[in-house]
Amino acid sequence: MKTLDELLHEHEFFKDFKPEYLELMAGCATNVIFEAGQYIFREGQEANVFYVIRHGHVALEIHDPRRGPITIETLQEDDVLGWSWLFAPYQWHFDAKAVKLTRAVAMDGKCLRMKCENDHTLGYLMMQRFNTVLADRLQQTRLQVLKLYD
Amino acid sequence: MINLTKTPLMTQKQLANPMQPEPFRVKRVMKESYDTFTLELEPIASERLFTFVPGQFNMLYIFGVGEIPVSISGDPNQPAMLVHTTRIVGSVTKAMSKLKAGDVLGVRGPFGTGWPVSDAEGCDVILVAGGIGLAPLRPVLYQTLAHRDRYGKIVLLYGTRSPEDILFRKELEKWRARFDLEIFVTVDYGDSDWHGNVGVVTKLIPKAPFDALNAVAMVCGPEVMMRFTAIELQKRGVRGDGIALSMERNMKCAIGLCGHCQFGPTFICKDGPVFTYPQLQSWLAQWEV
Ligand SMILES: Cc1cc2nc3c(=O)[nH]c(=O)nc-3n(C[C@H](O)[C@H](O)[C@H](O)COP(=O)(O)OP(=O)(O)OC[C@H]3O[C@@H](n4cnc5c(N)ncnc54)[C@H](O)[C@@H]3O)c2cc1C
Ligand code: FES
């Protein structure tokens, strides 16, 4: 069976992380599995974790009382789920549901924040990685709101 | 660098009088979605075969209403049947949507350049379609699947508004069952019944299974989508001159005479509609060209 730092090393998000940092990260990591249909988190709940998805398919949903759940984005293998753990008030803004069986590594946000505070080089690296993810998502959302196909 | 397929010899003959619409009869009307339909047309002069290359378009004339350019969405290996898939946006497309089997419309064409289907031989073929942009790419699928052994991987990345807007559903399902074709569909918004991808089509590019260094990409959809798709394909490693795009502008003559379809230094009707990315790159982000 693979160790957590090996699993992290295989993931796109942690590509090129130095082994000592992967080991530090693994100290905040847990292996998790979500069944199809299971909610991973719900809007408004405390956000103190993020997930690196290894296999599966996750839908980010927003609930509209008239229309029910609307999927605004889906995430798969090699994606990262959740950034609300990085910014106060540390609350989820959407619901996240496993559409099919999903395996991920859950990263404890409090533990990571502490490690980043203690080692600013690590903190900078994490910020760089998350900013890349955020910039990509922002770009995609901008295209999505353009309603290009109307 | 890819070359855009030129009009075949047979087509040159068809264009003997390119301004004269030829009468075609509607054989079948198929509803694809609430605003999109496919017409199967047969020439009234029954001996006529309609040879075309994937990517070409016709001018379709609805008597008393008007004439519009529409790409051919059918199988180039079945020249007895002319097929067009159209989305209702205004007066002509609306009138066209009301046609029934037996009705007659005028056809001029085929016009323009085709997708680089021959140049893609030996390469992975990546088709990126947005919305109605799947229609002009469908003939590429027919053509490449008919000569499957000549190509590497064939990958279709298709983005559309919502699950209800997905075109050619039955055919996509049939193709999905093949092991030699990869299809990824994404929608901008999905409800709880949709278990597929949600997000823009560009998001599918980084993970799509193809060899970027030996790939030819053909992209068709709204212009903004094509711009960002070309950027994303290049980020992945596809060469700019391995990317072809299909452009749209209002048209009148369709043979390079009236200037209606001018785009920068080119006329979309005769120099396009299919262009290589380097031909368009400097014009794509400019206003009012
Ligand atoms: C080479 C070429 C190939 C084409 N292939 C296809 C095809 O396969 N299927 C298809 O459905 N359409 C295709 N089109 C677009 C089609 O020609 C137009 O949708 C049509 O001319 C609209 O005519 P209309 O009278 O119905 O609408 P109009 O009255 O001309 O326009 C009504 C409204 O729709 C908008 N509009 C016009 N054209 C478009 C467009 N292309 N996209 C979005 N909005 C538009 C106008 O700005 C206006 O607001 C193609 C165009 C070109 C140049
Ligand atoms: S439509 Fe007349 S020049 Fe192109």
Side-chain angles (χ1 to χ4, degrees):
Chain A
M1 203 165 121
K2 286 180 182 164
T3 61
L4 279 165
D5 44 339
E6 280 169 339
L7 290 181
L8 293 180
H9 180 64
E10 283 172 2
H11 198 276
E12 187 65 27
F13 184 80
F14 290 108
K15 208 172 69 185
D16 310 329
F17 256 53
K18 287 194 213 145
E20 58 266 33
Y21 279 147
L22 280 176
E23 217 173 290
L24 263 183
M25 294 283 114
C28 302
T30 330
N31 234 330
V32 288
I33 296 183
F34 300 99
E35 300 295 333
Q38 185 181 347
Y39 276 90
I40 300 170
F41 53 74
R42 294 273 196 177
E43 181 181 339
Q45 284 175 344
E46 191 182 355
N48 264 321
V49 68
F50 80 90
Y51 300 91
V52 294
I53 303 173
R54 295 174 46 221
H55 300 286
H57 187 122
V58 176
L60 278 182
E61 295 179 349
I62 189 156
H63 190 268
D64 176 46
R66 279 185 308 122
R67 294 190 286 170
I70 302 163
T71 305
I72 45 166
E73 189 176 16
T74 49
L75 301 171
Q76 279 98 3
E77 185 174 323
D78 267 342
D79 283 332
V80 172
L81 168 65
W83 59 73
S84 301
W85 67 279
L86 261 177
F87 310 106
Y90 310 117
Q91 272 181 357
W92 296 120
H93 293 90
F94 301 105
D95 299 333
K97 186 174 82 183
V99 179
K100 54 185 184 192
L101 183 81
T102 298
R103 294 173 200 280
V105 177
M107 306 295 297
D108 181 333
K110 276 185 189 159
C111 165
L112 276 180
R113 283 200 299 264
M114 206 173 66
K115 288 185 179 174
C116 292
E117 282 296 338
N118 292 340
D119 181 343
H120 285 182
T121 310
L122 173 66
Y124 179 67
L125 195 60
M126 285 295 283
M127 279 298 173
Q128 256 187 338
R129 296 286 155 112
F130 264 96
N131 280 341
T132 308
V133 173
L134 288 177
D136 277 352
R137 303 263 168 94
L138 177 62
Q139 199 72 279
Q140 286 156 14
T141 308
R142 281 175 172 160
L143 288 180
Q144 223 168 329
V145 296
L146 278 176
K147 300 196 167 170
L148 291 175
Y149 309 124
D150 281 0
Chain B
M1 163 134 183
I2 49 177
N3 287 303
L4 303 169
T5 315
K6 297 285 185 303
T7 315
L9 212 62
M10 177 64 198
T11 308
Q12 306 283 359
K13 261 195 252 159
Q14 289 170 200
L15 290 179
N17 187 355
M19 292 306 286
Q20 177 70 48
E22 211 183 307
F24 273 63
R25 182 164 282 124
V26 177
K27 183 158 186 251
R28 199 151 72 113
V29 184
M30 285 163 289
K31 200 171 159 64
E32 303 289 354
S33 72
Y34 65 95
D35 66 355
T36 303
F37 58 95
T38 293
L39 297 179
E40 283 183 2
L41 307 171
E42 278 179 333
I44 287 184
S46 59
E47 75 284 1
R48 163 86 139 92
L49 289 179
F50 204 95
T51 317
F52 70 98
V53 293
Q56 286 194 300
F57 68 94
N58 283 321
M59 295 299 288
L60 301 184
Y61 181 43
I62 306 299
F63 301 113
V65 187
E67 193 185 40
I68 56 165
V70 182
S71 301
I72 305 168
S73 66
D75 186 345
N77 302 308
Q78 305 216 350
M81 180 70 68
L82 178 60
V83 182
H84 285 285
T85 303
T86 310
R87 186 171 162 220
I88 304 166
V89 295
S91 53
V92 180
T93 47
K94 189 163 181 197
M96 204 187 288
S97 73
K98 296 198 170 129
L99 292 174
K100 293 183 288 306
D103 288 346
V104 175
L105 78 169
V107 176
R108 289 196 292 131
F111 297 114
T113 51
W115 297 107
V117 182
S118 306
D119 273 29
E121 288 184 11
C123 302
D124 287 359
V125 178
I126 321 307
L127 307 179
V128 190
I132 186 73
L134 183 59
L137 282 171
R138 187 168 68 162
V140 179
L141 280 168
Y142 289 131
Q143 184 87 329
T144 50
L145 292 175
H147 305 283
R148 185 64 193 85
D149 53 327
R150 297 185 191 167
Y151 301 92
K153 292 197 173 110
I154 302 178
V155 182
L156 169 66
L157 310 178
Y158 172 38
T160 191
R161 273 183 300 202
S162 72
E164 291 75 51
D165 292 291
I166 295 172
L167 299 180
F168 313 133
R169 256 172 195 277
K170 280 199 184 131
E171 216 163 13
L172 286 179
E173 274 162 32
K174 202 175 77 193
W175 281 332
R176 249 183 215 279
R178 292 178 68 130
F179 294 111
D180 58 357
L181 170 65
E182 305 265 6
I183 298 182
F184 300 89
V185 179
T186 184
V187 300
D188 276 353
Y189 300 93
D191 57 18
S192 52
D193 295 332
W194 172 250
H195 298 299
N197 294 307
V198 177
V200 287
V201 72
T202 48
K203 205 182 135 184
L204 300 175
I205 294 169
K207 290 179 196 165
F210 61 84
D211 174 7
L213 299 177
N214 185 35
V216 168
M218 306 179 208
V219 186
C220 191
E223 241 167 87
V224 176
M225 168 249 158
M226 291 200 290
R227 255 159 47 200
F228 282 89
T229 298
I231 293 168
E232 206 57 51
L233 284 166
Q234 288 176 99
K235 264 202 235 164
R236 172 79 194 260
V238 180
R239 286 164 50 134
D241 61 11
I243 301 172
L245 317 170
S246 182
M247 295 293 293
E248 286 188 9
R249 284 292 181 274
N250 284 342
M251 288 187 183
K252 262 212 151 63
C253 72
I255 52 171
L257 294 178
C258 71
H260 255 77
C261 65
Q262 189 165 0
F263 178 71
T266 65
F267 287 157
I268 304 275
C269 66
K270 84 176 165 58
D271 306 315
V274 179
F275 293 88
T276 63
Y277 183 57
Q279 280 179 289
L280 297 180
Q281 192 172 0
S282 58
W283 298 98
L284 274 174
Q286 288 188 30
W287 288 21
E288 293 173 2
V289 284

